[in-house]
Amino acid sequence: MNAISHATKVLILGGSGYMGRATAKAVIQRSGSVILVGRNADTLSKAINALGSKAKAVATDAAAEGAISKLVADERPDHIVVAVSSNARASDIPSTPAKQAKLGFGRFWTSYAAVQAATSLPRHGSITLVSGSSARTPAPGYGVWSALHGSIEALARAATIELAPVRVNVVSPGGIGMSPDRQLVPRTGTADDIGQAIAALIYNPAITGAVLDVDSGERKGTWSGD
Ligand SMILES: NC(=O)c1ccc[n+]([C@@H]2O[C@H](COP(=O)([O-])OP(=O)(O)OC[C@H]3O[C@@H](n4cnc5c(N)ncnc54)[C@H](OP(=O)(O)O)[C@@H]3O)[C@@H](O)[C@H]2O)c1
């Protein structure tokens, strides 16, 4: 059976956010359908109204114990995307108390629960996690996020082996909304850049274990053209 069909169904945790909505749009453009998950029902309903009949919403707290496994059992998606935000303020390691950093790491644990739930996906399925440029390009004031994003990438590396043949990938955004003079490609990054990249990973059955930097070259150097 062909791995990727027109009936491809994608569960997007954080589906009402910028990257979640952009991913939904990219999946629908490829004739797939989406289930958007977030906690706020109003935001979700605005998101699905804008996306049309291929989108449905489930309002739930993905961080609650057993919530993601239940979503996978109820909705039977082919693929999972984790685009939830961190619900905490954190900055540099010296000044962020461990208690606060643990709150920031809620996103890691949601990713972890999603990876566990992905063991129930069909063999052709995949899970895509979102990290961030600070995982490998630390900057002052972002130490907690560096650790979080690095842990998400390490989780994906291990899960790539343990979940196979279900595929595991990461998109690492950078440069979103940033001044174009910081990138090799002189443009301001958008959420659609990320949505299209996530959809490309979902729809390409040969890609697993990838960490895809989508940052207009921000991490490689600064563009020096005119
Ligand atoms: N934007 C950037 O430039 C950038 C760069 C690097 C990495 N990232 C990371 O990429 C991820 C997505 O970014 P974004 O800009 O799309 O974030 P966003 O617009 O704030 O969206 C976050 C989404 O997560 C949902 N959410 C948060 N906690 C949840 C929970 N416990 N259960 C269910 N849904 C939950 C939110 O909905 P509710 O609040 O209604 O639950 C919302 O749909 C974030 O983790 C962000 O840190 C972003």
Side-chain angles (χ1 to χ4, degrees), residues 78-82 111 113-116 118 121 125-129 159 163 166-170:
D78 302 286
H79 305 273
I80 301 174
V81 174
V82 185
S111 301
V115 165
Q116 284 196 321
L121 291 176
S126 75
I127 177 165
T128 307
L129 307 179
L163 267 65
V166 169
R167 295 178 294 114
V168 183
N169 290 302
V170 179

Side-chain angles (χ1 to χ4, degrees), residues 14 16-19 38-40 61-62 83-85 87 107 130-131 176:
S16 56
Y18 290 114
M19 294 185 193
R39 292 161 300 178
N40 185 305
D61 182 356
V84 297
S85 49
N87 303 297
R107 194 170 127 219
V130 174
S131 64
I176 309 299

Side-chain angles (χ1 to χ4, degrees), residues 19 107 129-139 145-146 148-150 152-153 157 170-187 189-190 193-194 197 210-223:
M19 294 185 193
R107 194 170 127 219
L129 307 179
V130 174
S131 64
S133 58
S134 59
R136 282 162 286 125
T137 314
W145 304 123
S146 292
L148 168 66
H149 292 147
I152 289 173
E153 293 182 5
R157 265 194 303 280
V170 179
V171 164
S172 176
I176 309 299
M178 294 291 186
S179 165
D181 63 7
R182 283 183 46 180
Q183 283 97 246
L184 287 175
V185 184
R187 59 187 293 285
T190 67
D193 300 340
I194 309 304
V211 179
L212 184 57
D213 292 345
V214 184
D215 64 357
S216 304
E218 183 191 57
R219 273 160 276 197
K220 311 281 184 314
T222 304
W223 178 66

